[in-house]
Amino acid sequence: MQSANVEIVEVGPRDGLQNEKVIVPTAAKVAYIEALVAAGLRRVEAVSFVHPRLVPQMADAEDVMARVPRIPGVRYAGLVLNERGLDRALAAGVDEVNVVVVATETFSRRNQGMSVDDAVRGFGVIAERAHGAGLGVTLTVAAGFGCPFEGEVSPARVAELVRRCPGADEIAVADTIGVGVPADVRRVTAAVREVSRAPLRFHFHNTRNSGYANALTAWELGAAALDSSAGGIGGCPFAPAATGNIATEDLLYMLHRSGVATGIDLAATLSAAALIEERLGAPVPAQLGRAGTWPA
Amino acid sequence: MQSANVEIVEVGPRDGLQNEKVIVPTAAKVAYIEALVAAGLRRVEAVSFVHPRLVPQMADAEDVMARVPRIPGVRYAGLVLNERGLDRALAAGVDEVNVVVVATETFSRRNQGMSVDDAVRGFGVIAERAHGAGLGVTLTVAAGFGCPFEGEVSPARVAELVRRCPGADEIAVADTIGVGVPADVRRVTAAVREVSRAPLRFHFHNTRNSGYANALTAWELGAAALDSSAGGIGGCPFAPAATGNIATEDLLYMLHRSGVATGIDLAATLSAAALIEERLGAPVPAQLGRAGTWPA
């Protein structure tokens, strides 16, 4: 077991809200982000620069970025899929871009509207331009643990994509559909480490109740960063297949009791989750808010 | 990482149904147990022999035991707290008894109506009589990871109880209120191993989303058995603090994808969970039934 610290990347405002049916007003998004920053979160994936027709939940990305608290040490990321998204990200003043390449051809074409080859080429162009503008660049390999269309995704396939996309400051592997288990985390970590020395970040959903075990395993293996969303939002509670991100507060509970320092205040994170829960008007998947911190 | 197999103890009929508000008729309990056995579960904690006034959900323990399928290799356990319970267990024909001793004085007096010293003495008497009748004996240390009244429970305290209760065929440590994390599992495993060579079993609730990570850690540390309930029942979905057992199907998904052989059929376990979900009339906490097995 490793006792190193780990960075929490708060993705509730982006991946969380993007997958909720309710379209949250800009002011409420900003209040959620303010609460997260007040809780001590220092890295927030705040927005996505995709076409508003495809993801109406993120149509106000520029407005959100114009209003978030700019505090030394707090970095905001925006998700981008293409150069048009990068243009918007640069104009909106994000600190870093998260560039997504999907591991499988079918999912890439359906989700991003481009082939994997085109996505890899796009990554190179975006990374170069983003770096030129002084922004950090994350490569996210989506569907890195499995694809809804093509099934199993081998760690070798993920590693091959990482190899083809040099220049990222960080490699994130995303279990987009929540199918991975800790043994998969071990395999993909080993495979990616063979082709890249960049810090590793993981993005887990708790779709099949393996998300927290996956996160713990990633931390044990020395992952530099873990994604989570305050409230565990992102899986509509009334949808047939709830697929929220792992929840920041439940992850913090586990990490803090394991002796991991995160610099994040658990009670304040619960307040941020309560804020977005009230706004969404439905119970969030996170459990700590209901069960209570312990010992009291 | 360990690749050894692990025994799943199905506790849905006992710990699951005991904590549901709905009182399930005997025939439906038996149908649930039949479905579990058909799925390949070979060890089922089927009933509890506590006073019906305290736990009306288990008042029909004798009737349940009279009707469960008796198949070679399938063992049924009953929970007992005192000699009166043991008398009933012996008459009802269980294969093993699960004797509970609570780790803290306050919880012991409130929950079992006796001091820890009396519970320890009671364990000795019950174990001797049960062994004399050819039954297996499990010692469960309840509140082994924390107490709702006294707070933190040290691993040394758990180990001390185990030391004071020799004669168990198996030691189960129960996270009764769902507060433990994997680091706690490591600590309590190490402490108990210093005082006992009996096989270790763990009982986790997923109250704060750490239950599956705890189970995986216990398996990695060589635990012989893990408790779970098909459907993850036991925490009323509409209660403010849902505290179900970890779900058999979600645990199986993680274990099977990790290369662990359990001999249990996942699809048939999902059917058993669906059966009890329909009977309870509310969505169960288990996620695999909603998300779907994968790859399809």
Side-chain angles (χ1 to χ4, degrees):
Chain A
M1 192 167 62
Q2 177 141 343
S3 62
N5 297 340
V6 66
E7 182 178 47
I8 306 294
V9 184
E10 171 62 48
V11 299
R14 202 280 302 169
D15 198 34
L17 293 181
Q18 173 176 321
N19 290 295
E20 294 286 342
K21 275 184 189 154
V22 176
I23 295 193
V24 172
T26 307
K29 287 181 181 176
V30 173
Y32 180 40
I33 293 170
E34 284 172 344
L36 292 164
V37 169
L41 285 147
R42 287 296 168 261
R43 201 168 166 207
V44 180
E45 195 162 294
V47 292
S48 178
F49 297 103
V50 293
H51 199 289
R53 183 170 38 79
L54 298 176
V55 185
Q57 292 91 339
M58 294 287 120
D60 59 349
E62 283 82 357
D63 290 342
V64 170
M65 280 310 301
R67 292 162 65 177
V68 293
R70 291 299 197 161
I71 290 166
V74 174
R75 287 175 293 153
Y76 294 104
L79 186 141
V80 304
L81 299 177
N82 50 38
E83 283 200 80
R84 172 73 188 113
L86 176 65
D87 292 337
R88 290 177 61 196
L90 291 170
V94 298
D95 302 295
E96 47 185 71
V97 288
N98 185 1
V99 189
V100 178
V101 174
V102 183
T104 63
E105 201 61 44
T106 314
F107 201 4
S108 181
R109 288 176 190 270
R110 291 213 195 193
N111 205 53
Q112 334 268 73
M114 65 179 91
S115 69
V116 173
D117 281 352
D118 284 343
V120 167
R121 268 189 292 273
F123 173 82
V125 175
I126 293 166
E128 193 178 341
R129 285 187 56 203
H131 278 145
L135 269 57
V137 176
T138 298
L139 166 69
T140 286
V141 179
F145 289 78
C147 170
F149 308 109
E150 299 187 22
E152 301 280 0
V153 170
S154 73
R157 198 163 173 177
V158 175
E160 173 62 11
L161 266 184
V162 170
R163 194 192 57 75
R164 291 176 65 195
C165 297
D169 304 306
E170 173 186 69
I171 308 295
V173 186
D175 186 6
T176 311
I177 58 169
V179 294
V181 303
D184 298 317
V185 178
R186 291 176 195 279
R187 286 188 282 259
V188 81
T189 295
V192 172
R193 287 251 166 90
E194 287 202 9
V195 297
S196 171
R197 289 290 97 200
L200 258 179
R201 166 178 162 189
F202 281 97
H203 177 96
F204 295 117
H205 287 249
N206 198 37
T207 312
R208 288 166 180 82
N209 257 329
S210 58
Y212 296 90
N214 290 343
L216 190 86
T217 300
W219 165 68
E220 284 176 0
L221 294 170
L226 294 171
D227 288 7
S228 62
S229 77
I233 61 172
C236 175
F238 302 118
T243 58
N245 295 108
I246 58 172
T248 307
E249 59 266 47
D250 294 2
L251 179 61
L252 287 177
Y253 177 82
M254 189 166 74
L255 291 175
H256 289 178
R257 280 192 69 79
S258 304
V260 185
T262 65
I264 303 163
D265 186 80
L266 182 51
T269 304
L270 282 164
S271 299
L275 199 71
I276 201 66
E277 180 172 61
E278 191 183 348
R279 179 55 71 162
L280 292 170
V284 294
Q287 299 213 41
L288 202 67
R290 280 190 293 280
T293 52
W294 185 88
Chain B
M1 192 167 62
Q2 177 141 343
S3 62
N5 297 340
V6 66
E7 182 178 47
I8 307 294
V9 183
E10 170 62 46
V11 298
R14 201 281 300 169
D15 199 33
L17 293 182
Q18 173 174 322
N19 289 294
E20 294 285 343
K21 275 185 190 152
V22 176
I23 295 193
V24 172
T26 307
K29 287 181 181 177
V30 173
Y32 180 40
I33 292 169
E34 283 171 346
L36 292 163
V37 169
L41 285 147
R42 288 295 168 263
R43 200 169 167 207
V44 179
E45 195 161 293
V47 291
S48 178
F49 297 103
V50 293
H51 199 290
R53 183 170 37 78
L54 298 176
V55 185
Q57 292 91 339
M58 295 287 120
D60 59 350
E62 282 83 356
D63 290 342
V64 170
M65 280 308 302
R67 294 162 63 177
V68 294
R70 291 299 196 160
I71 291 166
V74 174
R75 287 174 293 155
Y76 294 103
L79 186 141
V80 305
L81 300 177
N82 50 40
E83 281 198 83
R84 171 74 187 111
L86 176 65
D87 292 337
R88 290 178 59 197
L90 292 170
V94 297
D95 302 295
E96 46 185 73
V97 288
N98 184 1
V99 189
V100 178
V101 173
V102 183
T104 62
E105 200 62 43
T106 315
F107 201 4
S108 181
R109 288 176 190 269
R110 290 214 195 191
N111 205 53
Q112 333 269 73
M114 64 179 92
S115 69
V116 173
D117 281 351
D118 284 343
V120 167
R121 268 189 293 273
F123 173 82
V125 175
I126 293 166
E128 192 178 342
R129 285 188 55 203
H131 277 146
L135 269 56
V137 176
T138 298
L139 165 70
T140 286
V141 179
F145 288 78
C147 169
F149 308 109
E150 299 188 22
E152 302 280 0
V153 170
S154 73
R157 197 163 173 178
V158 174
E160 173 62 10
L161 266 184
V162 170
R163 194 193 57 76
R164 291 176 64 196
C165 296
D169 303 306
E170 173 186 69
I171 308 295
V173 185
D175 187 7
T176 310
I177 59 170
V179 294
V181 302
D184 298 317
V185 178
R186 290 177 195 278
R187 287 188 282 260
V188 81
T189 296
V192 171
R193 287 252 165 90
E194 287 201 9
V195 297
S196 172
R197 290 289 97 198
L200 257 178
R201 166 179 162 190
F202 282 97
H203 177 96
F204 295 117
H205 288 249
N206 197 37
T207 313
R208 288 165 181 82
N209 257 330
S210 58
Y212 297 89
N214 291 343
L216 190 86
T217 300
W219 165 68
E220 284 176 1
L221 294 170
L226 295 170
D227 287 8
S228 62
S229 77
I233 60 171
C236 175
F238 302 117
T243 57
N245 295 107
I246 59 172
T248 306
E249 58 266 48
D250 294 2
L251 179 62
L252 287 177
Y253 176 82
M254 190 167 73
L255 290 174
H256 289 179
R257 280 192 68 80
S258 304
V260 185
T262 65
I264 302 163
D265 186 80
L266 182 50
T269 304
L270 282 164
S271 300
L275 199 72
I276 201 67
E277 180 172 63
E278 191 184 348
R279 178 56 69 165
L280 292 171
V284 294
Q287 298 212 40
L288 202 67
R290 281 190 292 281
T293 52
W294 186 89

